[in-house]
Amino acid sequence: MDVDEQLEVTRSEISAGGLVARRSAGGVEVLIARQHDRNRGDLTGRLPKGHLDAGETPEQAALREVSEEVGVGARIVAPLGEVAYVFREEREDARIAKTVHFFLMAWERGEARPADGEMQSVAWVPIAEAAAELTFESERDVVARAQGLLESAHPPGL
């Protein structure tokens, strides 16, 4: 048993985020952000997400976090479900149970950029290549859900 398995879950967190998409001449593109992992320092590919503020719905938090982290305005077109996991926060020597609500979003305005200093870079990536750019399997699953919706008989409008 490793150290992570020995620690009790210290607290739970709820976050929300989005897979921001747009149509281009080459097809659907999505925003992928790069951020240094707080524990290991590795550069990771991830979707923008963050904690809910007091009184916020997951939808409101997801739109705010996308704007704050990657500098774009978007609108929600469909829910993409929840992702749940437990991670170790080394600074606190704690295990945190986290649930993230993800939404498919349509880009509306703004230039994609690291807006609040959390992200090192932000890039539009063809959706077919997005999963390979993401570090975490759970977020690759979110991309797969979005692809399924966008390729369905009645795709949501971007």
mmCIF file of all heavy atoms in Angstrom, residues 63-95:
data_model
loop_
_atom_site.group_PDB
_atom_site.id
_atom_site.type_symbol
_atom_site.label_atom_id
_atom_site.label_comp_id
_atom_site.label_asym_id
_atom_site.label_seq_id
_atom_site.Cartn_x
_atom_site.Cartn_y
_atom_site.Cartn_z
ATOM 1 N N LEU A 63 -18.516 28.692 -16.397
ATOM 2 C CA LEU A 63 -18.354 29.854 -17.287
ATOM 3 C C LEU A 63 -17.354 30.845 -16.717
ATOM 4 O O LEU A 63 -16.512 31.381 -17.444
ATOM 5 C CB LEU A 63 -19.702 30.526 -17.527
ATOM 6 C CG LEU A 63 -20.687 29.724 -18.386
ATOM 7 C CD1 LEU A 63 -22.085 30.317 -18.286
ATOM 8 C CD2 LEU A 63 -20.212 29.637 -19.818
ATOM 9 N N ARG A 64 -17.409 31.098 -15.414
ATOM 10 C CA ARG A 64 -16.473 32.019 -14.780
ATOM 11 C C ARG A 64 -15.046 31.499 -14.860
ATOM 12 O O ARG A 64 -14.120 32.234 -15.209
ATOM 13 C CB ARG A 64 -16.870 32.247 -13.309
ATOM 14 C CG ARG A 64 -15.884 33.146 -12.551
ATOM 15 C CD ARG A 64 -16.253 33.300 -11.091
ATOM 16 N NE ARG A 64 -16.481 32.060 -10.394
ATOM 17 C CZ ARG A 64 -15.523 31.210 -9.987
ATOM 18 N NH1 ARG A 64 -14.248 31.476 -10.231
ATOM 19 N NH2 ARG A 64 -15.838 30.101 -9.341
ATOM 20 N N GLU A 65 -14.851 30.222 -14.545
ATOM 21 C CA GLU A 65 -13.504 29.644 -14.564
ATOM 22 C C GLU A 65 -12.903 29.672 -15.970
ATOM 23 O O GLU A 65 -11.723 29.959 -16.137
ATOM 24 C CB GLU A 65 -13.516 28.217 -14.011
ATOM 25 C CG GLU A 65 -13.696 28.148 -12.512
ATOM 26 C CD GLU A 65 -12.505 28.665 -11.722
ATOM 27 O OE1 GLU A 65 -11.376 28.716 -12.257
ATOM 28 O OE2 GLU A 65 -12.698 29.021 -10.549
ATOM 29 N N VAL A 66 -13.700 29.376 -16.979
ATOM 30 C CA VAL A 66 -13.207 29.437 -18.357
ATOM 31 C C VAL A 66 -12.754 30.856 -18.682
ATOM 32 O O VAL A 66 -11.676 31.066 -19.232
ATOM 33 C CB VAL A 66 -14.281 28.929 -19.342
ATOM 34 C CG1 VAL A 66 -13.984 29.375 -20.766
ATOM 35 C CG2 VAL A 66 -14.379 27.404 -19.270
ATOM 36 N N SER A 67 -13.556 31.832 -18.314
ATOM 37 C CA SER A 67 -13.188 33.222 -18.565
ATOM 38 C C SER A 67 -11.919 33.604 -17.805
ATOM 39 O O SER A 67 -11.003 34.213 -18.376
ATOM 40 C CB SER A 67 -14.341 34.135 -18.159
ATOM 41 O OG SER A 67 -13.977 35.484 -18.309
ATOM 42 N N GLU A 68 -11.848 33.232 -16.532
ATOM 43 C CA GLU A 68 -10.691 33.596 -15.710
ATOM 44 C C GLU A 68 -9.407 32.902 -16.151
ATOM 45 O O GLU A 68 -8.344 33.513 -16.154
ATOM 46 C CB GLU A 68 -10.964 33.253 -14.238
ATOM 47 C CG GLU A 68 -11.961 34.156 -13.569
ATOM 48 C CD GLU A 68 -12.285 33.739 -12.140
ATOM 49 O OE1 GLU A 68 -11.722 32.750 -11.632
ATOM 50 O OE2 GLU A 68 -13.124 34.425 -11.539
ATOM 51 N N GLU A 69 -9.496 31.621 -16.483
ATOM 52 C CA GLU A 69 -8.283 30.853 -16.752
ATOM 53 C C GLU A 69 -7.785 30.952 -18.180
ATOM 54 O O GLU A 69 -6.580 30.952 -18.413
ATOM 55 C CB GLU A 69 -8.486 29.383 -16.369
ATOM 56 C CG GLU A 69 -8.600 29.179 -14.873
ATOM 57 C CD GLU A 69 -8.604 27.725 -14.458
ATOM 58 O OE1 GLU A 69 -8.759 26.830 -15.311
ATOM 59 O OE2 GLU A 69 -8.444 27.484 -13.249
ATOM 60 N N VAL A 70 -8.705 30.996 -19.159
ATOM 61 C CA VAL A 70 -8.256 30.980 -20.556
ATOM 62 C C VAL A 70 -8.729 32.187 -21.358
ATOM 63 O O VAL A 70 -8.516 32.263 -22.558
ATOM 64 C CB VAL A 70 -8.625 29.651 -21.267
ATOM 65 C CG1 VAL A 70 -7.926 28.489 -20.605
ATOM 66 C CG2 VAL A 70 -10.119 29.431 -21.317
ATOM 67 N N GLY A 71 -9.369 33.154 -20.688
ATOM 68 C CA GLY A 71 -9.640 34.448 -21.280
ATOM 69 C C GLY A 71 -10.729 34.536 -22.326
ATOM 70 O O GLY A 71 -10.803 35.540 -23.033
ATOM 71 N N VAL A 72 -11.602 33.541 -22.429
ATOM 72 C CA VAL A 72 -12.646 33.605 -23.452
ATOM 73 C C VAL A 72 -14.032 33.598 -22.825
ATOM 74 O O VAL A 72 -14.231 33.082 -21.725
ATOM 75 C CB VAL A 72 -12.540 32.444 -24.480
ATOM 76 C CG1 VAL A 72 -11.196 32.471 -25.188
ATOM 77 C CG2 VAL A 72 -12.797 31.098 -23.851
ATOM 78 N N GLY A 73 -14.961 34.162 -23.566
ATOM 79 C CA GLY A 73 -16.363 34.089 -23.213
ATOM 80 C C GLY A 73 -16.983 32.936 -23.978
ATOM 81 O O GLY A 73 -16.667 32.714 -25.151
ATOM 82 N N ALA A 74 -17.847 32.195 -23.322
ATOM 83 C CA ALA A 74 -18.465 31.030 -23.960
ATOM 84 C C ALA A 74 -19.889 30.886 -23.431
ATOM 85 O O ALA A 74 -20.288 31.551 -22.481
ATOM 86 C CB ALA A 74 -17.653 29.771 -23.647
ATOM 87 N N ARG A 75 -20.630 30.009 -24.072
ATOM 88 C CA ARG A 75 -21.962 29.659 -23.573
ATOM 89 C C ARG A 75 -22.046 28.145 -23.480
ATOM 90 O O ARG A 75 -21.408 27.432 -24.264
ATOM 91 C CB ARG A 75 -23.060 30.224 -24.474
ATOM 92 C CG ARG A 75 -23.099 29.658 -25.843
ATOM 93 C CD ARG A 75 -24.199 30.293 -26.716
ATOM 94 N NE ARG A 75 -23.936 30.032 -28.105
ATOM 95 C CZ ARG A 75 -24.134 28.873 -28.728
ATOM 96 N NH1 ARG A 75 -24.636 27.847 -28.085
ATOM 97 N NH2 ARG A 75 -23.837 28.730 -30.009
ATOM 98 N N ILE A 76 -22.798 27.675 -22.537
ATOM 99 C CA ILE A 76 -22.960 26.226 -22.352
ATOM 100 C C ILE A 76 -23.954 25.703 -23.377
ATOM 101 O O ILE A 76 -25.032 26.262 -23.549
ATOM 102 C CB ILE A 76 -23.431 25.911 -20.922
ATOM 103 C CG1 ILE A 76 -22.316 26.267 -19.934
ATOM 104 C CG2 ILE A 76 -23.852 24.445 -20.794
ATOM 105 C CD1 ILE A 76 -22.684 26.136 -18.477
ATOM 106 N N VAL A 77 -23.566 24.615 -24.048
ATOM 107 C CA VAL A 77 -24.476 23.988 -25.004
ATOM 108 C C VAL A 77 -24.955 22.615 -24.544
ATOM 109 O O VAL A 77 -26.001 22.172 -24.985
ATOM 110 C CB VAL A 77 -23.865 23.909 -26.426
ATOM 111 C CG1 VAL A 77 -23.633 25.298 -26.988
ATOM 112 C CG2 VAL A 77 -22.586 23.113 -26.452
ATOM 113 N N ALA A 78 -24.217 21.963 -23.643
ATOM 114 C CA ALA A 78 -24.647 20.650 -23.150
ATOM 115 C C ALA A 78 -23.812 20.246 -21.941
ATOM 116 O O ALA A 78 -22.628 20.556 -21.870
ATOM 117 C CB ALA A 78 -24.496 19.586 -24.248
ATOM 118 N N PRO A 79 -24.436 19.528 -21.007
ATOM 119 C CA PRO A 79 -23.645 18.968 -19.910
ATOM 120 C C PRO A 79 -22.838 17.775 -20.425
ATOM 121 O O PRO A 79 -23.272 17.062 -21.327
ATOM 122 C CB PRO A 79 -24.701 18.526 -18.891
ATOM 123 C CG PRO A 79 -25.938 18.309 -19.697
ATOM 124 C CD PRO A 79 -25.852 19.239 -20.882
ATOM 125 N N LEU A 80 -21.649 17.588 -19.854
ATOM 126 C CA LEU A 80 -20.803 16.445 -20.218
ATOM 127 C C LEU A 80 -20.606 15.489 -19.041
ATOM 128 O O LEU A 80 -19.757 14.609 -19.087
ATOM 129 C CB LEU A 80 -19.444 16.926 -20.736
ATOM 130 C CG LEU A 80 -19.475 17.657 -22.070
ATOM 131 C CD1 LEU A 80 -18.102 18.226 -22.405
ATOM 132 C CD2 LEU A 80 -19.958 16.722 -23.182
ATOM 133 N N GLY A 81 -21.393 15.680 -17.993
ATOM 134 C CA GLY A 81 -21.332 14.782 -16.856
ATOM 135 C C GLY A 81 -20.304 15.199 -15.820
ATOM 136 O O GLY A 81 -19.703 16.260 -15.895
ATOM 137 N N GLU A 82 -20.134 14.313 -14.862
ATOM 138 C CA GLU A 82 -19.231 14.567 -13.745
ATOM 139 C C GLU A 82 -18.043 13.628 -13.799
ATOM 140 O O GLU A 82 -18.137 12.525 -14.332
ATOM 141 C CB GLU A 82 -19.948 14.335 -12.421
ATOM 142 C CG GLU A 82 -21.110 15.244 -12.169
ATOM 143 C CD GLU A 82 -21.857 14.889 -10.898
ATOM 144 O OE1 GLU A 82 -21.419 13.979 -10.148
ATOM 145 O OE2 GLU A 82 -22.881 15.517 -10.645
ATOM 146 N N VAL A 83 -16.957 14.072 -13.220
ATOM 147 C CA VAL A 83 -15.751 13.268 -13.039
ATOM 148 C C VAL A 83 -15.461 13.297 -11.541
ATOM 149 O O VAL A 83 -15.487 14.372 -10.935
ATOM 150 C CB VAL A 83 -14.572 13.868 -13.833
ATOM 151 C CG1 VAL A 83 -13.271 13.204 -13.460
ATOM 152 C CG2 VAL A 83 -14.827 13.773 -15.327
ATOM 153 N N ALA A 84 -15.201 12.144 -10.952
ATOM 154 C CA ALA A 84 -14.883 12.091 -9.524
ATOM 155 C C ALA A 84 -13.557 11.365 -9.338
ATOM 156 O O ALA A 84 -13.293 10.357 -10.000
ATOM 157 C CB ALA A 84 -15.995 11.383 -8.763
ATOM 158 N N TYR A 85 -12.723 11.903 -8.456
ATOM 159 C CA TYR A 85 -11.428 11.294 -8.180
ATOM 160 C C TYR A 85 -10.922 11.761 -6.818
ATOM 161 O O TYR A 85 -11.470 12.698 -6.227
ATOM 162 C CB TYR A 85 -10.411 11.623 -9.276
ATOM 163 C CG TYR A 85 -10.215 13.092 -9.553
ATOM 164 C CD1 TYR A 85 -9.214 13.820 -8.918
ATOM 165 C CD2 TYR A 85 -11.023 13.761 -10.470
ATOM 166 C CE1 TYR A 85 -9.025 15.170 -9.183
ATOM 167 C CE2 TYR A 85 -10.842 15.120 -10.731
ATOM 168 C CZ TYR A 85 -9.843 15.814 -10.087
ATOM 169 O OH TYR A 85 -9.662 17.149 -10.344
ATOM 170 N N VAL A 86 -9.901 11.096 -6.347
ATOM 171 C CA VAL A 86 -9.242 11.481 -5.104
ATOM 172 C C VAL A 86 -7.796 11.803 -5.451
ATOM 173 O O VAL A 86 -7.150 11.071 -6.201
ATOM 174 C CB VAL A 86 -9.302 10.352 -4.055
ATOM 175 C CG1 VAL A 86 -8.527 10.728 -2.801
ATOM 176 C CG2 VAL A 86 -10.755 10.015 -3.716
ATOM 177 N N PHE A 87 -7.300 12.922 -4.940
ATOM 178 C CA PHE A 87 -5.912 13.282 -5.198
ATOM 179 C C PHE A 87 -5.231 13.686 -3.897
ATOM 180 O O PHE A 87 -5.889 14.011 -2.905
ATOM 181 C CB PHE A 87 -5.804 14.397 -6.251
ATOM 182 C CG PHE A 87 -6.274 15.747 -5.780
ATOM 183 C CD1 PHE A 87 -5.365 16.691 -5.307
ATOM 184 C CD2 PHE A 87 -7.614 16.094 -5.826
ATOM 185 C CE1 PHE A 87 -5.784 17.945 -4.891
ATOM 186 C CE2 PHE A 87 -8.046 17.343 -5.406
ATOM 187 C CZ PHE A 87 -7.123 18.268 -4.932
ATOM 188 N N ARG A 88 -3.926 13.648 -3.930
ATOM 189 C CA ARG A 88 -3.139 14.014 -2.762
ATOM 190 C C ARG A 88 -2.631 15.441 -2.914
ATOM 191 O O ARG A 88 -2.017 15.779 -3.922
ATOM 192 C CB ARG A 88 -1.959 13.068 -2.611
ATOM 193 C CG ARG A 88 -1.145 13.387 -1.381
ATOM 194 C CD ARG A 88 -0.174 12.296 -1.065
ATOM 195 N NE ARG A 88 0.552 12.664 0.151
ATOM 196 C CZ ARG A 88 1.813 12.400 0.348
ATOM 197 N NH1 ARG A 88 2.497 11.735 -0.548
ATOM 198 N NH2 ARG A 88 2.392 12.761 1.459
ATOM 199 N N GLU A 89 -2.889 16.244 -1.926
ATOM 200 C CA GLU A 89 -2.376 17.605 -1.858
ATOM 201 C C GLU A 89 -1.184 17.563 -0.916
ATOM 202 O O GLU A 89 -1.347 17.450 0.302
ATOM 203 C CB GLU A 89 -3.449 18.561 -1.345
ATOM 204 C CG GLU A 89 -2.999 19.988 -1.163
ATOM 205 C CD GLU A 89 -2.554 20.640 -2.441
ATOM 206 O OE1 GLU A 89 -3.386 20.872 -3.325
ATOM 207 O OE2 GLU A 89 -1.336 20.911 -2.557
ATOM 208 N N GLU A 90 0.023 17.599 -1.488
ATOM 209 C CA GLU A 90 1.232 17.424 -0.677
ATOM 210 C C GLU A 90 1.453 18.555 0.306
ATOM 211 O O GLU A 90 1.946 18.327 1.412
ATOM 212 C CB GLU A 90 2.448 17.239 -1.587
ATOM 213 C CG GLU A 90 2.413 15.911 -2.307
ATOM 214 C CD GLU A 90 3.635 15.649 -3.154
ATOM 215 O OE1 GLU A 90 4.623 16.402 -3.059
ATOM 216 O OE2 GLU A 90 3.598 14.674 -3.915
ATOM 217 N N ARG A 91 1.097 19.788 -0.074
ATOM 218 C CA ARG A 91 1.309 20.917 0.844
ATOM 219 C C ARG A 91 0.557 20.733 2.157
ATOM 220 O O ARG A 91 0.983 21.201 3.196
ATOM 221 C CB ARG A 91 0.886 22.229 0.192
ATOM 222 C CG ARG A 91 1.784 22.644 -0.961
ATOM 223 C CD ARG A 91 1.316 23.935 -1.567
ATOM 224 N NE ARG A 91 -0.001 23.712 -2.180
ATOM 225 C CZ ARG A 91 -0.626 24.579 -2.960
ATOM 226 N NH1 ARG A 91 -0.083 25.747 -3.208
ATOM 227 N NH2 ARG A 91 -1.784 24.308 -3.488
ATOM 228 N N GLU A 92 -0.581 20.064 2.087
ATOM 229 C CA GLU A 92 -1.402 19.838 3.280
ATOM 230 C C GLU A 92 -1.277 18.409 3.799
ATOM 231 O O GLU A 92 -1.868 18.087 4.822
ATOM 232 C CB GLU A 92 -2.869 20.111 2.957
ATOM 233 C CG GLU A 92 -3.156 21.507 2.488
ATOM 234 C CD GLU A 92 -4.598 21.657 2.027
ATOM 235 O OE1 GLU A 92 -5.471 20.936 2.546
ATOM 236 O OE2 GLU A 92 -4.846 22.487 1.141
ATOM 237 N N ASP A 93 -0.565 17.558 3.066
ATOM 238 C CA ASP A 93 -0.495 16.137 3.386
ATOM 239 C C ASP A 93 -1.903 15.576 3.556
ATOM 240 O O ASP A 93 -2.231 14.957 4.559
ATOM 241 C CB ASP A 93 0.350 15.888 4.637
ATOM 242 C CG ASP A 93 0.744 14.415 4.754
ATOM 243 O OD1 ASP A 93 0.826 13.736 3.704
ATOM 244 O OD2 ASP A 93 0.957 13.947 5.887
ATOM 245 N N ALA A 94 -2.734 15.841 2.553
ATOM 246 C CA ALA A 94 -4.146 15.483 2.626
ATOM 247 C C ALA A 94 -4.588 14.773 1.352
ATOM 248 O O ALA A 94 -3.987 14.940 0.294
ATOM 249 C CB ALA A 94 -4.979 16.739 2.822
ATOM 250 N N ARG A 95 -5.635 13.984 1.494
ATOM 251 C CA ARG A 95 -6.324 13.390 0.348
ATOM 252 C C ARG A 95 -7.649 14.104 0.187
ATOM 253 O O ARG A 95 -8.410 14.226 1.137
ATOM 254 C CB ARG A 95 -6.551 11.898 0.555
ATOM 255 C CG ARG A 95 -5.349 11.073 0.165
ATOM 256 C CD ARG A 95 -5.534 9.595 0.474
ATOM 257 N NE ARG A 95 -6.670 8.991 -0.174
ATOM 258 C CZ ARG A 95 -6.603 8.228 -1.264
ATOM 259 N NH1 ARG A 95 -5.450 8.012 -1.842
ATOM 260 N NH2 ARG A 95 -7.682 7.690 -1.782
#
